[in-house]
Amino acid sequence: MAPVTASTYDIDKAAGLLRAGRLVALPTETVYGLGANAEDAAAVTRVFQAKGRPPSHPLIVHIGGAELLGEWVEEVPATARLLAEHFWPGPLTLVLRRAPRVPLEATGGLETVAVRVPGHPVALALLAAFGGGVVAPSANRFGSVSPTTAEHVRAELGDVVDFVLDGGPCDVGVESTIVDVTGDTPSVLRPGGVTREDLEAVLGRPVAVPSTSHVRVPGQHPSHYAPRARVVLVEPEKVVVEAELAQEQGHKVGVLRPPSSGDGPAAVHAVVPVPGSIAEYARSLYGFLREFDQRGCDLVVASLPPEEGLGLAIANRLRRAAGPRDAG
């Protein structure tokens, strides 16, 4: 893991603010989170207010190590313990029955809680200095593009955040994978930084990725991770044609150009080539979407990557960004 990049002074300052019930933006390997003391119901409520997030949408509790999981959940089944041992610290969130110390404000009123150990040295240093759990949904307005730099947080939330702890750009760039381990069969409720293939290799059995679930989890609102520009999803071979047609119709078009589409289109407002590396694509996706907004695009044309590995998480984010306006 990379060395801690924030100063001890800043980490201690952030920990003190959390103890005082204040809001601190913190880096994780996935995205920047808007942090609050997970056991302070009033502070948790302020997170919802700052984001404009419906209070029924549960938050993820971030803890400092896998050995602490039993303090935050009712019980730790063998499957959860196995996954924690293999993937923590890292971009995996486990859904389990909550322990009494977790307020219902943090769970959206549910008797389950989502927990993870972040794989970022600054986040872990903050959790150690704070000495407790921290709820930390993405540090942005509800439904908009998640932040992957401290600058993104400052630009979007401004003075709503009491302190932004800068840990540099996020390495993974998409949120954690959420796995429901409350029953006998684990299932992926949100694809993310740990792939389905990784999970299946550790568990030795197939893992379901249902399109819908009765369990409420972060990031599954019909429209989520969305830029101001409308996102339209088309087949890869149609990206150029659809983009040029939309531009002719008067739109300021941004294009996420897949590697298979060649050099075009030329006659559009903004073109961002999709990286050949799927890990780099995931790391850069939210930055690309923000760039289109900054360049004044009102429509973004994109295609879905192959839905395997991290491509499944990218496809999930693009579908949510397109929302009900475009089923993809």
Side-chain angles (χ1 to χ4, degrees), residues 277-303:
S277 161
I278 199 70
E280 179 58 32
Y281 189 11
R283 188 159 41 244
S284 305
L285 174 63
Y286 292 146
F288 292 159
L289 295 178
R290 287 177 178 272
E291 180 180 344
F292 289 131
D293 280 345
Q294 292 165 1
R295 295 175 68 175
C297 298
D298 60 38
L299 188 145
V300 174
V301 178
S303 63

mmCIF file of all heavy atoms in Angstrom, residues 277-303:
data_model
loop_
_atom_site.group_PDB
_atom_site.id
_atom_site.type_symbol
_atom_site.label_atom_id
_atom_site.label_comp_id
_atom_site.label_asym_id
_atom_site.label_seq_id
_atom_site.Cartn_x
_atom_site.Cartn_y
_atom_site.Cartn_z
ATOM 1 N N SER A 277 -6.857 0.054 -21.170
ATOM 2 C CA SER A 277 -6.844 -0.669 -19.900
ATOM 3 C C SER A 277 -8.162 -0.453 -19.176
ATOM 4 O O SER A 277 -8.570 0.688 -18.927
ATOM 5 C CB SER A 277 -5.690 -0.176 -19.023
ATOM 6 O OG SER A 277 -5.896 -0.526 -17.666
ATOM 7 N N ILE A 278 -8.837 -1.545 -18.814
ATOM 8 C CA ILE A 278 -10.119 -1.429 -18.135
ATOM 9 C C ILE A 278 -9.940 -0.825 -16.738
ATOM 10 O O ILE A 278 -10.801 -0.085 -16.251
ATOM 11 C CB ILE A 278 -10.837 -2.805 -18.062
ATOM 12 C CG1 ILE A 278 -12.341 -2.604 -17.794
ATOM 13 C CG2 ILE A 278 -10.198 -3.705 -17.044
ATOM 14 C CD1 ILE A 278 -13.095 -2.009 -18.948
ATOM 15 N N ALA A 279 -8.800 -1.094 -16.090
ATOM 16 C CA ALA A 279 -8.534 -0.498 -14.773
ATOM 17 C C ALA A 279 -8.360 1.007 -14.895
ATOM 18 O O ALA A 279 -8.847 1.772 -14.058
ATOM 19 C CB ALA A 279 -7.299 -1.132 -14.141
ATOM 20 N N GLU A 280 -7.677 1.461 -15.938
ATOM 21 C CA GLU A 280 -7.501 2.895 -16.161
ATOM 22 C C GLU A 280 -8.832 3.549 -16.515
ATOM 23 O O GLU A 280 -9.107 4.682 -16.103
ATOM 24 C CB GLU A 280 -6.477 3.130 -17.268
ATOM 25 C CG GLU A 280 -6.231 4.600 -17.592
ATOM 26 C CD GLU A 280 -5.750 5.399 -16.384
ATOM 27 O OE1 GLU A 280 -5.045 4.838 -15.521
ATOM 28 O OE2 GLU A 280 -6.101 6.595 -16.302
ATOM 29 N N TYR A 281 -9.674 2.840 -17.257
ATOM 30 C CA TYR A 281 -11.003 3.367 -17.587
ATOM 31 C C TYR A 281 -11.814 3.580 -16.313
ATOM 32 O O TYR A 281 -12.424 4.638 -16.112
ATOM 33 C CB TYR A 281 -11.704 2.403 -18.542
ATOM 34 C CG TYR A 281 -13.000 2.901 -19.152
ATOM 35 C CD1 TYR A 281 -13.406 4.230 -19.048
ATOM 36 C CD2 TYR A 281 -13.833 2.032 -19.853
ATOM 37 C CE1 TYR A 281 -14.597 4.679 -19.615
ATOM 38 C CE2 TYR A 281 -15.026 2.475 -20.436
ATOM 39 C CZ TYR A 281 -15.395 3.788 -20.292
ATOM 40 O OH TYR A 281 -16.576 4.229 -20.855
ATOM 41 N N ALA A 282 -11.820 2.590 -15.436
ATOM 42 C CA ALA A 282 -12.547 2.726 -14.177
ATOM 43 C C ALA A 282 -11.997 3.889 -13.352
ATOM 44 O O ALA A 282 -12.763 4.690 -12.788
ATOM 45 C CB ALA A 282 -12.455 1.430 -13.375
ATOM 46 N N ARG A 283 -10.682 3.993 -13.299
ATOM 47 C CA ARG A 283 -10.045 5.051 -12.514
ATOM 48 C C ARG A 283 -10.393 6.441 -13.055
ATOM 49 O O ARG A 283 -10.480 7.413 -12.307
ATOM 50 C CB ARG A 283 -8.530 4.843 -12.541
ATOM 51 C CG ARG A 283 -7.743 5.752 -11.626
ATOM 52 C CD ARG A 283 -6.366 5.201 -11.312
ATOM 53 N NE ARG A 283 -5.710 4.610 -12.454
ATOM 54 C CZ ARG A 283 -5.382 3.321 -12.558
ATOM 55 N NH1 ARG A 283 -5.675 2.484 -11.572
ATOM 56 N NH2 ARG A 283 -4.766 2.859 -13.623
ATOM 57 N N SER A 284 -10.618 6.542 -14.368
ATOM 58 C CA SER A 284 -10.810 7.842 -15.019
ATOM 59 C C SER A 284 -12.258 8.182 -15.325
ATOM 60 O O SER A 284 -12.552 9.314 -15.712
ATOM 61 C CB SER A 284 -10.015 7.863 -16.336
ATOM 62 O OG SER A 284 -8.655 7.547 -16.136
ATOM 63 N N LEU A 285 -13.182 7.216 -15.189
ATOM 64 C CA LEU A 285 -14.552 7.395 -15.674
ATOM 65 C C LEU A 285 -15.207 8.656 -15.131
ATOM 66 O O LEU A 285 -15.752 9.473 -15.889
ATOM 67 C CB LEU A 285 -15.403 6.175 -15.302
ATOM 68 C CG LEU A 285 -16.901 6.283 -15.633
ATOM 69 C CD1 LEU A 285 -17.117 6.423 -17.131
ATOM 70 C CD2 LEU A 285 -17.667 5.096 -15.065
ATOM 71 N N TYR A 286 -15.189 8.861 -13.816
ATOM 72 C CA TYR A 286 -15.879 10.008 -13.247
ATOM 73 C C TYR A 286 -15.212 11.317 -13.650
ATOM 74 O O TYR A 286 -15.878 12.339 -13.839
ATOM 75 C CB TYR A 286 -15.953 9.883 -11.726
ATOM 76 C CG TYR A 286 -16.853 8.767 -11.244
ATOM 77 C CD1 TYR A 286 -16.554 8.051 -10.093
ATOM 78 C CD2 TYR A 286 -18.004 8.433 -11.942
ATOM 79 C CE1 TYR A 286 -17.382 7.033 -9.638
ATOM 80 C CE2 TYR A 286 -18.836 7.412 -11.490
ATOM 81 C CZ TYR A 286 -18.524 6.714 -10.343
ATOM 82 O OH TYR A 286 -19.339 5.699 -9.899
ATOM 83 N N GLY A 287 -13.901 11.284 -13.803
ATOM 84 C CA GLY A 287 -13.206 12.465 -14.294
ATOM 85 C C GLY A 287 -13.622 12.811 -15.709
ATOM 86 O O GLY A 287 -13.786 13.989 -16.053
ATOM 87 N N PHE A 288 -13.816 11.792 -16.546
ATOM 88 C CA PHE A 288 -14.289 12.020 -17.922
ATOM 89 C C PHE A 288 -15.664 12.682 -17.914
ATOM 90 O O PHE A 288 -15.917 13.642 -18.648
ATOM 91 C CB PHE A 288 -14.373 10.701 -18.687
ATOM 92 C CG PHE A 288 -13.051 10.055 -18.984
ATOM 93 C CD1 PHE A 288 -12.982 8.688 -19.274
ATOM 94 C CD2 PHE A 288 -11.874 10.781 -18.991
ATOM 95 C CE1 PHE A 288 -11.774 8.079 -19.574
ATOM 96 C CE2 PHE A 288 -10.656 10.170 -19.277
ATOM 97 C CZ PHE A 288 -10.616 8.818 -19.567
ATOM 98 N N LEU A 289 -16.575 12.162 -17.088
ATOM 99 C CA LEU A 289 -17.930 12.706 -17.043
ATOM 100 C C LEU A 289 -17.923 14.149 -16.551
ATOM 101 O O LEU A 289 -18.665 15.003 -17.060
ATOM 102 C CB LEU A 289 -18.821 11.840 -16.161
ATOM 103 C CG LEU A 289 -19.069 10.406 -16.658
ATOM 104 C CD1 LEU A 289 -19.939 9.640 -15.659
ATOM 105 C CD2 LEU A 289 -19.713 10.389 -18.039
ATOM 106 N N ARG A 290 -17.084 14.448 -15.582
ATOM 107 C CA ARG A 290 -16.954 15.824 -15.110
ATOM 108 C C ARG A 290 -16.378 16.722 -16.204
ATOM 109 O O ARG A 290 -16.779 17.892 -16.342
ATOM 110 C CB ARG A 290 -16.069 15.875 -13.869
ATOM 111 C CG ARG A 290 -16.753 15.335 -12.618
ATOM 112 C CD ARG A 290 -15.815 15.337 -11.418
ATOM 113 N NE ARG A 290 -16.508 14.859 -10.246
ATOM 114 C CZ ARG A 290 -17.217 15.630 -9.412
ATOM 115 N NH1 ARG A 290 -17.276 16.929 -9.652
ATOM 116 N NH2 ARG A 290 -17.831 15.111 -8.375
ATOM 117 N N GLU A 291 -15.446 16.191 -16.972
ATOM 118 C CA GLU A 291 -14.847 16.985 -18.046
ATOM 119 C C GLU A 291 -15.890 17.414 -19.069
ATOM 120 O O GLU A 291 -15.871 18.554 -19.559
ATOM 121 C CB GLU A 291 -13.728 16.190 -18.726
ATOM 122 C CG GLU A 291 -13.046 16.947 -19.857
ATOM 123 C CD GLU A 291 -11.947 16.163 -20.534
ATOM 124 O OE1 GLU A 291 -11.486 15.157 -19.957
ATOM 125 O OE2 GLU A 291 -11.550 16.542 -21.657
ATOM 126 N N PHE A 292 -16.808 16.523 -19.407
ATOM 127 C CA PHE A 292 -17.851 16.888 -20.369
ATOM 128 C C PHE A 292 -18.694 18.050 -19.838
ATOM 129 O O PHE A 292 -19.065 18.956 -20.595
ATOM 130 C CB PHE A 292 -18.738 15.685 -20.676
ATOM 131 C CG PHE A 292 -18.056 14.615 -21.491
ATOM 132 C CD1 PHE A 292 -18.109 13.280 -21.100
ATOM 133 C CD2 PHE A 292 -17.376 14.938 -22.652
ATOM 134 C CE1 PHE A 292 -17.485 12.290 -21.854
ATOM 135 C CE2 PHE A 292 -16.752 13.958 -23.419
ATOM 136 C CZ PHE A 292 -16.805 12.630 -23.015
ATOM 137 N N ASP A 293 -19.017 18.033 -18.545
ATOM 138 C CA ASP A 293 -19.764 19.151 -17.969
ATOM 139 C C ASP A 293 -18.944 20.440 -18.029
ATOM 140 O O ASP A 293 -19.452 21.506 -18.374
ATOM 141 C CB ASP A 293 -20.147 18.843 -16.523
ATOM 142 C CG ASP A 293 -21.368 17.936 -16.414
ATOM 143 O OD1 ASP A 293 -22.089 17.780 -17.418
ATOM 144 O OD2 ASP A 293 -21.588 17.376 -15.323
ATOM 145 N N GLN A 294 -17.672 20.336 -17.685
ATOM 146 C CA GLN A 294 -16.815 21.522 -17.692
ATOM 147 C C GLN A 294 -16.678 22.114 -19.093
ATOM 148 O O GLN A 294 -16.521 23.336 -19.244
ATOM 149 C CB GLN A 294 -15.439 21.160 -17.133
ATOM 150 C CG GLN A 294 -15.438 20.832 -15.652
ATOM 151 C CD GLN A 294 -14.177 20.129 -15.191
ATOM 152 O OE1 GLN A 294 -13.260 19.888 -15.979
ATOM 153 N NE2 GLN A 294 -14.120 19.801 -13.913
ATOM 154 N N ARG A 295 -16.768 21.264 -20.111
ATOM 155 C CA ARG A 295 -16.623 21.743 -21.490
ATOM 156 C C ARG A 295 -17.956 22.129 -22.127
ATOM 157 O O ARG A 295 -18.038 22.419 -23.314
ATOM 158 C CB ARG A 295 -15.901 20.681 -22.321
ATOM 159 C CG ARG A 295 -14.467 20.457 -21.847
ATOM 160 C CD ARG A 295 -13.761 19.334 -22.566
ATOM 161 N NE ARG A 295 -13.495 19.638 -23.967
ATOM 162 C CZ ARG A 295 -12.799 18.844 -24.791
ATOM 163 N NH1 ARG A 295 -12.290 17.702 -24.316
ATOM 164 N NH2 ARG A 295 -12.588 19.174 -26.037
ATOM 165 N N GLY A 296 -19.017 22.137 -21.322
ATOM 166 C CA GLY A 296 -20.293 22.647 -21.784
ATOM 167 C C GLY A 296 -21.123 21.696 -22.616
ATOM 168 O O GLY A 296 -22.062 22.121 -23.304
ATOM 169 N N CYS A 297 -20.839 20.402 -22.552
ATOM 170 C CA CYS A 297 -21.641 19.432 -23.310
ATOM 171 C C CYS A 297 -23.029 19.305 -22.685
ATOM 172 O O CYS A 297 -23.183 19.385 -21.459
ATOM 173 C CB CYS A 297 -20.962 18.066 -23.318
ATOM 174 S SG CYS A 297 -19.341 18.056 -24.129
ATOM 175 N N ASP A 298 -24.046 19.118 -23.523
ATOM 176 C CA ASP A 298 -25.383 18.843 -22.988
ATOM 177 C C ASP A 298 -25.817 17.404 -23.254
ATOM 178 O O ASP A 298 -26.870 16.975 -22.801
ATOM 179 C CB ASP A 298 -26.418 19.821 -23.536
ATOM 180 C CG ASP A 298 -26.563 19.785 -25.055
ATOM 181 O OD1 ASP A 298 -26.493 18.694 -25.651
ATOM 182 O OD2 ASP A 298 -26.748 20.851 -25.659
ATOM 183 N N LEU A 299 -25.004 16.656 -23.986
ATOM 184 C CA LEU A 299 -25.308 15.253 -24.276
ATOM 185 C C LEU A 299 -23.994 14.484 -24.414
ATOM 186 O O LEU A 299 -23.054 14.969 -25.044
ATOM 187 C CB LEU A 299 -26.132 15.145 -25.562
ATOM 188 C CG LEU A 299 -26.693 13.751 -25.911
ATOM 189 C CD1 LEU A 299 -28.066 13.890 -26.576
ATOM 190 C CD2 LEU A 299 -25.750 13.004 -26.862
ATOM 191 N N VAL A 300 -23.955 13.318 -23.786
ATOM 192 C CA VAL A 300 -22.780 12.445 -23.858
ATOM 193 C C VAL A 300 -23.187 11.122 -24.492
ATOM 194 O O VAL A 300 -24.148 10.487 -24.035
ATOM 195 C CB VAL A 300 -22.174 12.182 -22.460
ATOM 196 C CG1 VAL A 300 -21.048 11.154 -22.549
ATOM 197 C CG2 VAL A 300 -21.666 13.476 -21.848
ATOM 198 N N VAL A 301 -22.493 10.730 -25.543
ATOM 199 C CA VAL A 301 -22.743 9.458 -26.210
ATOM 200 C C VAL A 301 -21.655 8.476 -25.774
ATOM 201 O O VAL A 301 -20.457 8.768 -25.868
ATOM 202 C CB VAL A 301 -22.748 9.605 -27.740
ATOM 203 C CG1 VAL A 301 -22.969 8.246 -28.401
ATOM 204 C CG2 VAL A 301 -23.837 10.581 -28.177
ATOM 205 N N ALA A 302 -22.076 7.311 -25.302
ATOM 206 C CA ALA A 302 -21.133 6.315 -24.799
ATOM 207 C C ALA A 302 -21.648 4.927 -25.116
ATOM 208 O O ALA A 302 -22.827 4.734 -25.445
ATOM 209 C CB ALA A 302 -20.944 6.472 -23.288
ATOM 210 N N SER A 303 -20.765 3.950 -25.023
ATOM 211 C CA SER A 303 -21.149 2.548 -25.150
ATOM 212 C C SER A 303 -20.686 1.810 -23.911
ATOM 213 O O SER A 303 -19.821 2.289 -23.168
ATOM 214 C CB SER A 303 -20.532 1.921 -26.401
ATOM 215 O OG SER A 303 -19.118 1.927 -26.313
#
